[in-house]
Amino acid sequence: MVKGPYIGYILGDLNYRREPGMSEAVDLATVEIELKLDWMNRQGEWQTHAKPGKSGLTLADIQIGSYGETPEISDNMTGRPRGAQARPGSFRIGNYSVRTKNEIWLENASFLYEEALQRQWSSATDVPWHTIEPLPDDIEEAQCELATFLTEVEFVAGDVPARWISETTPDYFEPRNVLLAQVMDEARHMDVFRKRALANGGGLMQATGGTAGVVGSIDLARDFTEMSSRLHISGEGAVLTIFRMGELMAYNDAEKAIYRLCAQDEARHVAFGVMHMRYMSEEAPDRHEEIECYLDEAERQILAGSQNPAGNQTASSEALAILLGGGVAHYDEGFRKLMAIRRRQLVEYMKRVKSAGFGKRFENGRSQVKEMMAVSAA
Amino acid sequence: MAKAKASQAAAESAAGQAGAIDGIPQPKLDWAGRSNQWGTRVKPNAYGLRLGDLNVGIYGEIPDQWQDQTRNPRGAIPRKGVPPLGFAIRDKSDLWAESSGDLYEEAIQRRWAPATDIPWNTLKPLNEGLERAICQVSTELCQYANCDVETITSWQHQMAYGYHEVKQFLATASFDAARQFEAFRKRALSNGGGLGLEGPGQVNRMILESRGGWTEAVTYLFLMRGTFTMTMLRYLERYAHNDAERALYRYTLQDKARQMTYGLEHLQYSIAHQDDMALIMQQLLFIGDRVWAREMKDHVLMEALCVVFAGGISDAGTTGYAIYRQMMGDFMNSYVDTCEWLGVKRQPEMMPNSMTQYLKVN
Ligand SMILES: [Fe+2]
Ligand SMILES: [Fe+2]
């Protein structure tokens, strides 16, 4: 239960004002001081008139004059908001390993951020939980296996971006804010699948260890783009395809809503990765080969491995096949649908990588995706 | 271990059937029937299906230590042999607050968007001194928010999975900070002004440098800076000059109130469960007060607030300053009262005069 001195602000309506500890407004003008006001001549660019457009006052609307300019290399080590006047005496307290624009930038961050704000949802009240009815035991068990896996892995996409946010200069606050919205989205994903596992007579099952601390994992990346290629492009891309096929494996409106709402969030996360990689590919051709290496690794480990719920012969892929087929007795039918989903994952992955500027790898024999396609078509 | 009975029979039947189809591997189903607690059916109530509602049976058992170094969800069967992720915070007393789950749900319910929930069209040109002062205060609030973002996100990934309610609440708290950063930037750039001079940053440094543990960070970030920000926002709201600013302060107060509630409740929990935590906090605050007092000697924020409260420069040194002193009095009383409530001794002689002078104001 929420309690404490600030409860009025938390649970009251927005007009809640009075709190114990706030003095009545009284005239206390007994002491007079001389103000220096010298700081009024030490402010950022003036005369800025951002105007709200049809979507309100968006981040794009405040990219005005010098406030819209982002440095290629950030020398802001004091955490000042971009465009504010610097104080020469400020301490260098910024722990910023990400302070080169092409390391994190993307063109549509403002749009993705505003979208994230407008499309927030609540797993407590926006999922019609009452539509869940008891399911046959094998279906419920498969659903709980998948929900356990997703509860386990969803917050890798919260923990890891959070760590990178703490190391990113506020000069690049637009991408940073998108990532902060992602961290919150992932908290909700972790939570909605835990809710599903405990809502229908089942329970959590055995963890898979799908996000272990091993070389090549999302957790251990030492470069932001490396992390983003693993997390956004291959990991979340694969999950997005599955969520989009949610209709095929949902047994009630609650599950349909869960997959639809999660897919909407994941689409933004994947878009972040694709748009960032595109920016990187255009602005830093010298890093092209390095990024190809990240993609090699991501294809090997994440698309094919246990982090992909539709991967090869894992607990979650078996559970998916049972859900898709309509029970253990129809496993073969479910497995065929699963193979179709895996092909679709690969097709969508190729589309994203092409769009990010790395399409050649599918023509020059570097990528293994075509072989993976052949296997899942067999 | 409870075993779902039907899955056994179903598995056998599937093994027979699936093997009959060419090219389709038989499912191993070695995961089936593996649950610590089966038969859980949590029902939604008038508030929907909330995170805290899930804490039934073993799923609600929250141990004092969480040694598992993987992302094993609380209540699931752990998998042996998974290479660890290295979570540093694994003691409940280092992060817990009972209301975390409820605060998480509140944060999700009370979502707002600065783009569309602030009546920006109510902003009208203000006298230049006032606009400059509001822009200065907005700049400092942006910088506070930046400090919140950098501090919270540097700790999140270090927290063990068994305490997911805290991780989830903090995900909303760092997002609230991102929104505060965005909202006050929008205010500064939308009424003919711009951003101001960056803040002195000494308290930011102290908060960011609190590496001794999350509880230390909470002490500086919420108990100290948070109490001040809450007080300042209340006064800004009281003396707001248009509905856009009023709404901005109200929404931010609501967001910050959740963080304060988590923070104070965590400190209380930590003090109750760790022998010398009250003494550690006393030491931290003894040092913190002096850093705080040095930063407050900087006249920029003080003058800007005086101008905002007075509605312009002309009465800023009289009426504005009186209101500023009243605000500082409220802050100091609230800060000292909260410390007392937590059981952390704060005699006035332990604190710098530049702080205690305000204890007498109101
Ligand atoms: Fe997710
Ligand atoms: Fe995601």
Side-chain angles (χ1 to χ4, degrees), chain B residues 317-337:
Chain B
T318 51
T319 314
Y321 183 57
I323 298 169
Y324 173 81
R325 285 170 52 78
Q326 191 186 33
M327 180 197 88
M328 289 303 287
D330 280 353
F331 158 60
M332 278 305 299
N333 285 317
S334 165
Y335 173 53
V336 170
D337 286 354

Short mmCIF file of all heavy atoms in Angstrom, two decimals, chain B residues 317-337:
data_model
loop_
_atom_site.label_atom_id
_atom_site.label_comp_id
_atom_site.label_asym_id
_atom_site.label_seq_id
_atom_site.Cartn_x
_atom_site.Cartn_y
_atom_site.Cartn_z
N GLY B 317 13.59 41.70 -4.90
CA GLY B 317 14.46 41.80 -3.72
C GLY B 317 13.68 41.94 -2.42
O GLY B 317 14.24 41.78 -1.33
N THR B 318 12.38 42.22 -2.51
CA THR B 318 11.56 42.36 -1.29
C THR B 318 10.57 41.19 -1.19
O THR B 318 10.84 40.19 -0.54
CB THR B 318 10.82 43.72 -1.31
OG1 THR B 318 10.15 43.84 -2.58
CG2 THR B 318 11.80 44.86 -1.12
N THR B 319 9.44 41.33 -1.87
CA THR B 319 8.42 40.27 -1.82
C THR B 319 8.99 38.94 -2.29
O THR B 319 8.78 37.89 -1.67
CB THR B 319 7.24 40.64 -2.74
OG1 THR B 319 6.90 41.99 -2.49
CG2 THR B 319 6.05 39.75 -2.49
N GLY B 320 9.71 38.98 -3.42
CA GLY B 320 10.25 37.74 -3.99
C GLY B 320 11.18 37.06 -3.01
O GLY B 320 11.10 35.84 -2.78
N TYR B 321 12.04 37.84 -2.38
CA TYR B 321 13.01 37.27 -1.44
C TYR B 321 12.30 36.71 -0.20
O TYR B 321 12.67 35.67 0.34
CB TYR B 321 14.04 38.33 -1.05
CG TYR B 321 15.13 37.80 -0.13
CD1 TYR B 321 15.92 36.71 -0.51
CD2 TYR B 321 15.35 38.38 1.11
CE1 TYR B 321 16.91 36.21 0.33
CE2 TYR B 321 16.34 37.88 1.97
CZ TYR B 321 17.11 36.80 1.57
OH TYR B 321 18.08 36.30 2.41
N ALA B 322 11.25 37.42 0.23
CA ALA B 322 10.50 36.94 1.40
C ALA B 322 9.88 35.57 1.10
O ALA B 322 9.92 34.66 1.93
CB ALA B 322 9.41 37.95 1.76
N ILE B 323 9.33 35.45 -0.09
CA ILE B 323 8.72 34.16 -0.45
C ILE B 323 9.81 33.09 -0.58
O ILE B 323 9.63 31.95 -0.17
CB ILE B 323 7.89 34.30 -1.75
CG1 ILE B 323 6.73 35.27 -1.53
CG2 ILE B 323 7.35 32.94 -2.19
CD1 ILE B 323 6.00 35.69 -2.80
N TYR B 324 10.94 33.49 -1.12
CA TYR B 324 12.07 32.53 -1.24
C TYR B 324 12.47 32.02 0.15
O TYR B 324 12.68 30.83 0.36
CB TYR B 324 13.26 33.22 -1.93
CG TYR B 324 14.51 32.36 -1.93
CD1 TYR B 324 14.69 31.34 -2.87
CD2 TYR B 324 15.52 32.56 -0.97
CE1 TYR B 324 15.83 30.54 -2.86
CE2 TYR B 324 16.66 31.76 -0.95
CZ TYR B 324 16.81 30.75 -1.90
OH TYR B 324 17.92 29.96 -1.87
N ARG B 325 12.55 32.95 1.12
CA ARG B 325 12.94 32.54 2.49
C ARG B 325 11.88 31.60 3.09
O ARG B 325 12.20 30.64 3.79
CB ARG B 325 13.13 33.77 3.38
CG ARG B 325 14.44 34.52 3.07
CD ARG B 325 14.51 35.87 3.78
NE ARG B 325 14.25 35.76 5.22
CZ ARG B 325 15.14 35.33 6.11
NH1 ARG B 325 16.35 34.96 5.72
NH2 ARG B 325 14.82 35.25 7.39
N GLN B 326 10.65 31.93 2.78
CA GLN B 326 9.57 31.07 3.26
C GLN B 326 9.70 29.66 2.65
O GLN B 326 9.56 28.65 3.33
CB GLN B 326 8.24 31.71 2.84
CG GLN B 326 7.04 31.09 3.48
CD GLN B 326 5.75 31.68 2.92
OE1 GLN B 326 5.67 32.03 1.73
NE2 GLN B 326 4.74 31.77 3.75
N MET B 327 10.02 29.63 1.38
CA MET B 327 10.21 28.34 0.70
C MET B 327 11.37 27.58 1.33
O MET B 327 11.27 26.38 1.61
CB MET B 327 10.50 28.59 -0.79
CG MET B 327 10.71 27.32 -1.59
SD MET B 327 11.52 27.60 -3.19
CE MET B 327 13.24 27.51 -2.70
N MET B 328 12.47 28.28 1.56
CA MET B 328 13.63 27.62 2.16
C MET B 328 13.30 27.13 3.58
O MET B 328 13.78 26.08 4.01
CB MET B 328 14.84 28.57 2.20
CG MET B 328 15.44 28.84 0.83
SD MET B 328 15.96 27.34 -0.04
CE MET B 328 17.43 26.89 0.88
N GLY B 329 12.48 27.91 4.28
CA GLY B 329 12.04 27.47 5.61
C GLY B 329 11.25 26.18 5.52
O GLY B 329 11.48 25.23 6.28
N ASP B 330 10.34 26.13 4.57
CA ASP B 330 9.55 24.91 4.38
C ASP B 330 10.44 23.73 4.01
O ASP B 330 10.25 22.61 4.49
CB ASP B 330 8.49 25.11 3.28
CG ASP B 330 7.27 25.85 3.80
OD1 ASP B 330 7.19 26.07 5.04
OD2 ASP B 330 6.41 26.22 2.99
N PHE B 331 11.40 24.00 3.14
CA PHE B 331 12.32 22.92 2.75
C PHE B 331 13.08 22.41 3.96
O PHE B 331 13.12 21.20 4.24
CB PHE B 331 13.31 23.42 1.67
CG PHE B 331 14.56 22.58 1.60
CD1 PHE B 331 14.51 21.22 1.30
CD2 PHE B 331 15.81 23.15 1.86
CE1 PHE B 331 15.67 20.44 1.27
CE2 PHE B 331 16.97 22.37 1.82
CZ PHE B 331 16.90 21.02 1.54
N MET B 332 13.67 23.32 4.72
CA MET B 332 14.51 22.89 5.85
C MET B 332 13.68 22.14 6.90
O MET B 332 14.11 21.13 7.45
CB MET B 332 15.21 24.09 6.48
CG MET B 332 16.47 24.52 5.74
SD MET B 332 17.67 23.17 5.54
CE MET B 332 18.03 22.77 7.24
N ASN B 333 12.49 22.66 7.18
CA ASN B 333 11.64 21.98 8.17
C ASN B 333 11.27 20.59 7.69
O ASN B 333 11.31 19.62 8.45
CB ASN B 333 10.38 22.80 8.44
CG ASN B 333 10.70 24.01 9.31
OD1 ASN B 333 11.44 23.91 10.28
ND2 ASN B 333 10.17 25.17 8.94
N SER B 334 10.93 20.50 6.41
CA SER B 334 10.53 19.21 5.86
C SER B 334 11.71 18.24 5.86
O SER B 334 11.57 17.06 6.20
CB SER B 334 9.97 19.48 4.46
OG SER B 334 9.87 18.33 3.74
N TYR B 335 12.88 18.74 5.51
CA TYR B 335 14.10 17.92 5.46
C TYR B 335 14.45 17.39 6.86
O TYR B 335 14.66 16.18 7.06
CB TYR B 335 15.23 18.80 4.89
CG TYR B 335 16.61 18.20 4.90
CD1 TYR B 335 16.88 16.97 4.33
CD2 TYR B 335 17.68 18.93 5.44
CE1 TYR B 335 18.18 16.45 4.31
CE2 TYR B 335 18.98 18.42 5.43
CZ TYR B 335 19.22 17.18 4.86
OH TYR B 335 20.49 16.68 4.86
N VAL B 336 14.46 18.28 7.83
CA VAL B 336 14.83 17.88 9.20
C VAL B 336 13.76 16.96 9.79
O VAL B 336 14.08 15.94 10.41
CB VAL B 336 15.06 19.13 10.08
CG1 VAL B 336 15.20 18.76 11.55
CG2 VAL B 336 16.30 19.88 9.61
N ASP B 337 12.49 17.29 9.55
CA ASP B 337 11.40 16.43 10.05
C ASP B 337 11.52 15.02 9.47
O ASP B 337 11.31 14.03 10.16
CB ASP B 337 10.03 16.99 9.64
CG ASP B 337 9.65 18.21 10.46
OD1 ASP B 337 10.41 18.53 11.41
OD2 ASP B 337 8.63 18.84 10.13
#
